[in-house]
Amino acid sequence: MFLAGLPLTTLLLVGGGVALATVVLYILKLRRRPVAVPFASLWERVLKDREASTFFSQLKRWLSLLLQLAMLAALVLALGDPRPEASALAARNLVVLLDSSASMAATDVDKNRLELAKKKLLELISGLKSEDRMLIAKLDANVRALSPLTSETGVLRQAVERVRWTDTALDLQQGLSFAQDVLRGLPNAEVIVISDGAFVAPASLRDPLGAKLSFVGVGKESDNLAITELSARRYPLDKSRYEVLLALENTGKKAALVELSLFGDGQVIDVSQLRVEPGERVPRFFTDLAGASQQLEARIRVLEGKDYLPNDNRAFARMPERRRAKILVVTPGNTYLEAALLLDEYLDVTQVEPSAYPPSGSFDVTILDGVAPPAAPNTGARLFLNPPASGSPLKRGPRLENFGFDTWDRKSPVLRFMDLLDVQVASGYALKPEPGDHVLGQSELGPILVSGTRAGQSFLSLGFDPRDSDLVLRVAWPLLILNAINTFVEQDAEYQSAYRTGDIWRLRVPAGLETADLKRPDGSRVSIPVREARAEHFGEYAGFYQLSWAGAQVPFSFAANLQDSAESQIGPQSELVVAGAKAQIVSGFEPGLRQRYWGYLLIAVAFVSTLEWFTYHRRLTV
Amino acid sequence: MGLFELFRRPRSGEAARSKAPGIGLFDEQFQRKLEMLALVSRRVFAGRQRAERRSKKQGSGIEFADHREYTVGDDFRTVDWNAYRRFGRLLVRLYEEEEDLSIYLLVDCSSSMGFRDERKFDQARRLCAALAYVGLANLDRVTIVGVSDEIKSTLPTTRGKGRILQVFRFLSQLQPSGVTDLEACLTKFVAQHKRRGLAVLISDLYDPAGFERGINVLRFNKFEPYVLHLVDPRDAVSDLKGDVRIYDCETGEERDVTITDGLLRKVAEAVAHYQSAIERFCASRTVPYFAANIDVPFDELVLRVFRRGGFLR
């Protein structure tokens, strides 16, 4: 204990003087209030009987004086501002990285891991020395400071209260970099990670941490079952039907019996039971599903076994809208092309002679069969079949004969589900792509299928007349046409059945916007910025979202999922090793180090004084 | 009033003097109640003749009282010859003399009677007036004496209810002041009034020398004392708190006291004990005693006095 306020000698002088004055005042007789009584003899008789209790009265009087002196001593001591000896040590600069990733929602401890972590953090705050400074940052896939570097415990406690978990994985590397930046150049720096340790710690750091690293672990159990994948798509040739891929994983150490439910627009589509062995990943396909479902949700319920993390027991997916694409076909007549377009009932096809181009109306895609007129407004993307030498976005190369697709881009959405290896072409022309164009297929003699963009409008160009090949006799022909159309209308091209939390989502919106309005799964709304016709948002929570903007008649809906097998591994770690160095156990946070006893002394004095006042006026102590 | 006047303790009786005497004390309503009391007294004691009271004075009445030895000069007609034949002694018959009663109403006028708001003193005066009226209506000889440590004032003996206004005037002029010394005061009283009779002492009996002495003076001088003890319930209850200096409203005697609930309980017990001591004393001496609570209306008190007996016979 040491005195941070007035020195001891001063306190003794002040205390002695005031004590002396108190004693003098105390022994002075009070001027009593005169009160008349009708017959004093009656009082005399009573008072004679009470003479025996005079000693007790005197004792009470002296006790009262001692109490007064004790209160005085407490006041004088308060002036000295006594503090614990340990609080005189050097001040520390602390950055606390509080894990708020999805695994912290595990319920293997009281309430959940995050609540326990917050409780432990509050204990650390209570154990701060008066000169210590602390910054609290919330760490998941992102790092976010919740408080300044401060010694105000009230601010720190408020910061702790604001923390809630997110459906994201933890990025410790990012958190440590943040701590490095904060603590750079500060003395007695320390980084405290409060986490369950259910993550992959970085094996190396870009820069030395330059601070003491401490670890506070939370969590006990590792049993968990998770939906680690959920995706859905409509069949290209029958968009009224769809298929769903789902993966289930047991990340715990015990086998579990799980009930898996699949819901479409809130209605049950399928319910099944699965036994999942420890560490096993069970994929499930739901094929040829029917219905006009927009929203898909998968849920698991553990029938036998333990599941401590509820976050990953639900997964969400959104299927693309079924919209009629408006197609303009400019051809003198092509039976194969017309047949291919008939396969998709969701196409609104308009066919015109080349001389009638451009017709009135607006179109998503224009298919130009052997012609290449100048692009007209509102005619959309263009698909060239055997374009002429002039008018086409691509220059025509040398004439080719007896060739085929030797290589093609299998990952391109235009060519998916296709095998072009045996396609034979009698004659055609090689195409000359320009920089920025993408060659999707080529023979050994040159590119024959190229995509690109001209004047902001996409195009796809096929270097031969399909009727001069056996392509039109293959399944690949209608697929090529329909894939190309789907790609152009971006129905499939940018469609994602679910976004992944922990990433920055870039959502396509009309150009010219500055902000868009995002409705989150919990119903809250947030305005998010738009850059280059993309609304950007850091996704933190799984569920269904709705994005709307000025002029949007129907909001754009999409789903988001955790879908992180690593984050579903909730087995806690008792120690943290970063870049080969083991984090230490936190120390130096003894409750009471921050205590300033003068406040308590004043409260005690006020309490005793009030008690004495009450008992005096109630005549309990006189 | 100067600044120091605010802190000056009022001297005994000063508060009482500041009040105008007898305002509203004997108003018309009061007089109507007196009439009622007189009627009630006649009904209660119906059959008795006026002034038909036995006195202990033996004389020429018709009711036998006692024998005594014959002495020279006695009327021979009074010699009881039957007794002479039986006992061989000459005994003279004595008869109770019938006479009109002398009623002395002794009103305590000490400062304690005017303590607080003089309610006790007012009640004493009302009771006195009522009893006087009843006495006057019965053609008794009524004398009213204001007593404290001395005889402060005396209403000469009077009779007939037409003198009631004189009684009112006399009582209205009485003021509570001085200390209580019933022994000294009543000693003077008995010396001044040779004609014995009913002596009604209306007092709170707060006599530092002891209430017994004053009553005994009346007893020992052949008066028939009747004690009408005025009791103020507030004397036993107090809301005092803390350190105070109490002083007697008559003697000014002071005492520093720290008042607690326990002390107040003890004082209340002492007041009750004092009252019971008076009652026991009177009972053991066959002195009629009546405790008159000043919170009870005076007419109700007077009726109780009548029923209790001893005042009207």
Side-chain angles (χ1 to χ4, degrees):
Chain A
M1 188 79 73
F2 72 102
L3 297 174
L6 294 177
L8 184 61
T9 50
T10 308
L11 291 181
L12 289 176
L13 280 174
V14 171
V18 180
L20 186 64
T22 303
V23 172
V24 169
L25 288 173
Y26 212 83
I27 60 179
L28 286 177
K29 278 198 169 183
L30 290 172
R31 184 182 183 279
R32 290 171 181 260
R33 180 164 55 99
V35 175
V37 294
F39 193 41
S41 297
L42 292 175
W43 288 78
E44 284 295 334
R45 292 175 198 176
V46 174
L47 294 172
K48 275 181 187 170
D49 295 338
R50 291 175 64 89
E51 290 296 328
S53 61
T54 304
F55 171 74
F56 183 62
S57 300
Q58 291 295 323
L59 181 63
K60 283 197 291 190
R61 183 176 170 80
W62 285 110
L63 278 177
S64 176
L65 174 60
L66 288 175
L67 204 59
Q68 298 282 347
L69 291 177
M71 286 194 289
L72 176 66
L75 285 174
V76 171
L77 191 58
L79 287 175
D81 192 7
R83 295 184 190 182
E85 200 69 49
S87 69
L89 298 176
R92 295 172 294 181
N93 292 290
L94 306 155
V95 169
V96 177
L97 300 174
L98 180 59
D99 185 355
S100 59
S101 64
S103 63
M104 293 298 280
T107 57
D108 54 338
V109 293
D110 185 28
K111 290 185 181 176
N112 57 52
R113 291 180 181 179
L114 182 61
E115 291 302 319
L116 180 61
K118 287 161 77 172
K119 187 178 172 185
K120 290 191 173 187
L121 177 51
L122 290 173
E123 289 172 359
L124 294 183
I125 292 171
S126 299
L128 282 175
K129 290 180 288 189
S130 56
E131 307 303 327
D132 286 346
R133 293 195 301 164
M134 179 183 276
L135 180 147
I136 296 174
K138 169 180 181 287
L139 177 63
D140 38 49
N142 204 350
V143 60
R144 191 178 306 162
L146 300 176
S147 76
L149 193 62
T150 178
S151 58
E152 293 294 329
T153 56
V155 175
L156 295 173
R157 287 178 197 281
Q158 286 178 0
V160 174
E161 293 303 317
R162 288 201 298 272
V163 179
R164 58 169 295 195
W165 48 261
T166 61
D167 292 323
T168 62
L170 183 127
D171 186 353
L172 184 62
Q173 175 77 57
Q174 194 180 155
L176 293 176
S177 299
F178 169 80
Q180 276 179 324
D181 294 339
V182 172
L183 296 173
R184 186 165 288 125
L186 295 177
N188 296 319
E190 182 174 348
V191 180
I192 300 172
V193 178
I194 304 179
S195 168
D196 54 6
F199 53 83
V200 179
S204 63
L205 295 174
R206 286 189 290 271
D207 299 314
L209 188 57
K212 175 186 172 186
L213 179 65
S214 302
F215 176 66
V216 178
V218 293
K220 291 187 295 191
E221 306 292 341
S222 61
D223 292 333
N224 182 37
L225 282 115
I227 301 173
T228 54
E229 194 169 334
L230 175 67
S231 60
R233 68 160 191 165
R234 295 187 187 280
Y235 290 112
L237 299 182
D238 183 359
K239 291 188 171 58
S240 65
R241 310 189 79 79
Y242 55 94
E243 62 186 1
V244 174
L245 169 64
L246 185 148
L248 195 62
E249 196 166 341
N250 183 352
T251 61
K253 295 175 181 172
K254 297 171 190 165
L257 181 63
V258 180
E259 181 186 85
L260 172 64
S261 305
L262 185 65
F263 297 85
D265 292 341
Q267 303 297 318
V268 176
I269 296 174
D270 188 272
V271 178
S272 57
Q273 289 189 358
L274 303 167
R275 176 164 289 279
V276 188
E277 298 300 321
E280 185 184 10
R281 181 177 185 273
V282 180
R284 288 294 303 271
F285 287 101
F286 298 89
T287 57
D288 201 20
L289 298 175
S293 299
Q294 296 287 318
Q295 294 181 346
L296 288 173
E297 180 181 348
R299 296 179 198 166
I300 55 172
R301 186 163 67 93
V302 177
L303 303 176
E304 289 177 13
K306 296 287 185 183
D307 179 18
Y308 290 106
L309 185 62
N311 302 36
D312 53 10
N313 292 353
R314 297 174 71 188
F316 309 90
R318 175 94 188 168
M319 289 196 295
E321 300 283 347
R322 288 184 299 168
R323 183 174 68 84
R324 280 183 179 277
K326 300 187 74 172
I327 310 298
L328 173 63
V329 180
V330 184
T331 176
N334 188 332
T335 307
Y336 298 104
L337 181 59
E338 293 170 13
L341 292 173
L342 285 174
L343 288 175
D344 191 344
E345 59 180 306
Y346 285 91
L347 295 181
D348 184 3
V349 180
T350 302
Q351 184 173 330
V352 297
E353 292 287 332
S355 57
Y357 181 85
S360 60
S362 177
F363 301 92
D364 296 312
V365 178
T366 299
I367 302 175
L368 299 158
D369 183 20
V371 294
N378 300 322
T379 53
R382 292 179 292 173
L383 170 59
F384 293 95
L385 302 177
N386 190 27
S390 63
S392 168
L394 296 176
K395 290 181 179 175
R396 208 157 72 173
R399 180 177 177 78
L400 307 176
E401 291 184 350
N402 296 325
F403 60 95
F405 287 89
D406 296 321
T407 60
W408 66 93
D409 185 353
R410 295 173 188 271
K411 293 182 179 178
S412 170
V414 174
L415 299 179
R416 63 182 170 179
F417 312 124
M418 283 187 268
D419 186 354
L420 302 173
L421 183 63
D422 297 331
V423 173
Q424 297 294 320
V425 184
S427 62
Y429 293 91
L431 302 173
K432 289 184 176 179
E434 294 181 1
D437 293 341
H438 186 51
V439 178
L440 300 180
Q442 65 180 352
S443 73
E444 59 184 2
L445 302 174
I448 52 176
L449 182 63
V450 177
S451 66
T453 303
R454 294 289 183 273
Q457 201 62 264
S458 300
F459 73 90
L460 179 68
S461 186
L462 182 65
F464 60 91
D465 187 340
R467 289 170 292 191
D468 292 337
S469 70
D470 61 358
L471 177 63
V472 293
L473 303 177
R474 293 172 179 266
V475 176
W477 165 244
L479 282 177
L480 174 67
I481 298 298
L482 297 179
N483 280 348
I485 291 172
N486 283 338
T487 303
F488 285 140
V489 298
E490 295 183 345
Q491 198 167 31
D492 271 358
E494 289 199 355
Y495 162 70
Q496 276 186 262
S497 65
Y499 288 82
R500 185 170 169 168
T501 56
D503 290 339
I504 296 176
W505 303 333
R506 293 183 171 83
L507 308 162
R508 186 182 180 89
V509 293
L513 294 175
E514 292 186 353
T515 59
D517 181 60
L518 183 67
K519 182 181 178 184
R520 292 190 284 209
D522 61 358
S524 62
R525 290 182 176 275
V526 62
S527 178
I528 59 175
V530 175
R531 292 190 188 89
E532 296 176 356
R534 300 279 175 169
E536 295 183 351
H537 180 66
F538 180 77
E540 290 184 320
Y541 301 104
F544 291 110
Y545 289 76
Q546 283 189 337
L547 182 70
S548 55
W549 54 86
Q553 294 180 344
V554 179
F556 168 61
S557 298
F558 62 96
N561 285 322
L562 172 60
Q563 294 191 359
D564 190 328
S565 177
E567 192 59 22
S568 293
Q569 308 273 352
I570 63 168
Q573 302 297 319
S574 58
E575 59 184 31
L576 174 65
V577 179
V578 175
K582 183 179 168 186
Q584 300 179 33
I585 298 170
V586 287
S587 60
F589 291 90
E590 299 165 26
L593 288 180
R594 194 180 180 78
Q595 298 294 344
R596 302 200 173 170
Y597 296 115
W598 64 268
Y600 296 107
L601 289 168
L602 288 184
I603 291 171
V605 168
F607 176 74
V608 173
S609 183
T610 305
L611 192 65
E612 193 193 24
W613 179 88
F614 180 78
T615 56
Y616 178 83
H617 286 275
R618 288 284 173 183
R619 302 294 144 199
L620 300 175
T621 52
V622 293
Chain B
M1 182 183 288
L3 183 61
F4 290 102
E5 292 291 309
L6 291 174
F7 302 99
R8 188 172 66 84
R9 183 202 314 167
R11 288 191 292 276
S12 61
E14 190 173 5
R17 280 194 296 277
S18 64
K19 185 176 177 183
I23 293 177
L25 197 58
F26 306 122
D27 52 12
E28 278 188 25
Q29 188 181 7
F30 178 79
Q31 293 177 33
R32 278 198 296 275
K33 285 185 177 177
L34 289 188
E35 288 288 348
M36 183 271 294
L37 288 172
L39 287 171
V40 171
S41 71
R42 277 197 286 278
R43 191 177 66 246
V44 171
F45 302 101
R48 295 191 184 279
Q49 300 300 315
R50 65 183 180 184
E52 189 185 8
R53 296 171 189 276
R54 289 169 296 182
S55 75
K56 287 184 179 178
K57 181 180 178 183
Q58 287 90 9
S60 57
I62 59 171
E63 192 165 338
F64 172 77
D66 206 351
H67 288 98
R68 70 169 169 80
E69 294 288 335
Y70 172 79
T71 57
V72 179
D74 286 343
D75 188 347
F76 288 124
R77 290 177 297 181
T78 62
V79 174
D80 189 344
W81 298 109
N82 290 332
Y84 177 73
R85 195 176 66 179
R86 291 174 63 190
F87 304 115
R89 295 164 57 191
L90 280 176
L91 298 173
V92 178
R93 286 184 178 184
L94 299 176
Y95 297 91
E96 286 189 352
E97 187 175 20
E98 292 175 357
E99 59 177 6
D100 50 347
L101 180 64
S102 291
I103 299 175
Y104 298 98
L105 298 170
L106 309 172
V107 183
D108 186 353
C109 296
S110 65
S111 294
S112 64
M113 292 291 287
F115 187 70
R116 295 197 185 93
D117 48 6
E118 290 193 5
R119 282 185 57 205
K120 200 189 291 180
F121 190 60
D122 289 347
Q123 189 75 327
R125 289 191 288 181
R126 285 196 187 94
L127 284 171
C128 178
L131 296 176
Y133 187 77
V134 173
L136 291 173
N138 289 332
L139 295 178
D140 287 330
R141 298 157 60 90
V142 175
T143 305
I144 302 175
V145 182
V147 299
S148 56
D149 56 342
E150 59 182 1
I151 293 177
K152 302 184 79 169
S153 180
T154 303
L155 177 68
T157 303
T158 184
R159 61 193 304 171
K161 64 178 182 181
R163 312 302 293 274
I164 190 62
L165 292 178
Q166 190 180 349
V167 171
F168 289 164
R169 277 195 296 276
F170 173 77
L171 289 174
S172 299
Q173 289 166 359
L174 289 179
Q175 293 294 325
S177 63
V179 299
T180 306
D181 188 351
L182 292 176
E183 183 183 21
C185 181
L186 294 180
T187 300
K188 289 181 187 172
F189 164 75
V190 297
Q192 290 173 359
H193 297 82
K194 298 300 184 185
R195 189 184 182 90
R196 301 311 186 226
L198 181 64
V200 181
L201 179 60
I202 306 172
S203 169
D204 57 5
L205 298 175
Y206 285 155
D207 188 344
F211 64 89
E212 305 92 340
R213 297 192 177 193
I215 298 171
N216 282 338
V217 167
L218 296 173
R219 287 177 57 229
F220 297 159
N221 288 278
K222 309 292 187 185
F223 281 85
E224 291 181 59
Y226 189 108
V227 176
L228 206 53
H229 183 200
L230 289 167
V231 177
D232 187 348
R234 291 175 296 174
D235 290 350
V237 181
S238 175
D239 55 353
L240 289 176
K241 292 283 182 188
D243 297 325
V244 297
R245 175 170 294 167
I246 62 169
Y247 66 94
D248 193 290
C249 69
E250 292 184 359
T251 64
E253 180 187 356
E254 295 180 335
R255 176 76 187 252
D256 288 346
V257 181
T258 298
I259 295 180
T260 63
D261 289 339
L263 182 67
L264 291 177
R265 277 196 300 274
K266 292 276 187 187
V267 170
E269 289 172 6
V271 171
H273 183 263
Y274 187 71
Q275 186 178 342
S276 63
I278 297 171
E279 195 170 354
R280 280 197 308 275
F281 173 81
C282 293
S284 64
R285 272 77 174 175
T286 61
V287 174
Y289 168 84
F290 186 81
N293 188 330
I294 66 167
D295 290 336
V296 179
F298 84 96
D299 47 346
E300 191 179 329
L301 281 175
V302 171
L303 287 176
R304 287 182 191 174
V305 170
F306 291 167
R307 293 193 183 99
R308 176 85 176 233
F311 182 74
L312 294 174
R313 284 181 284 188

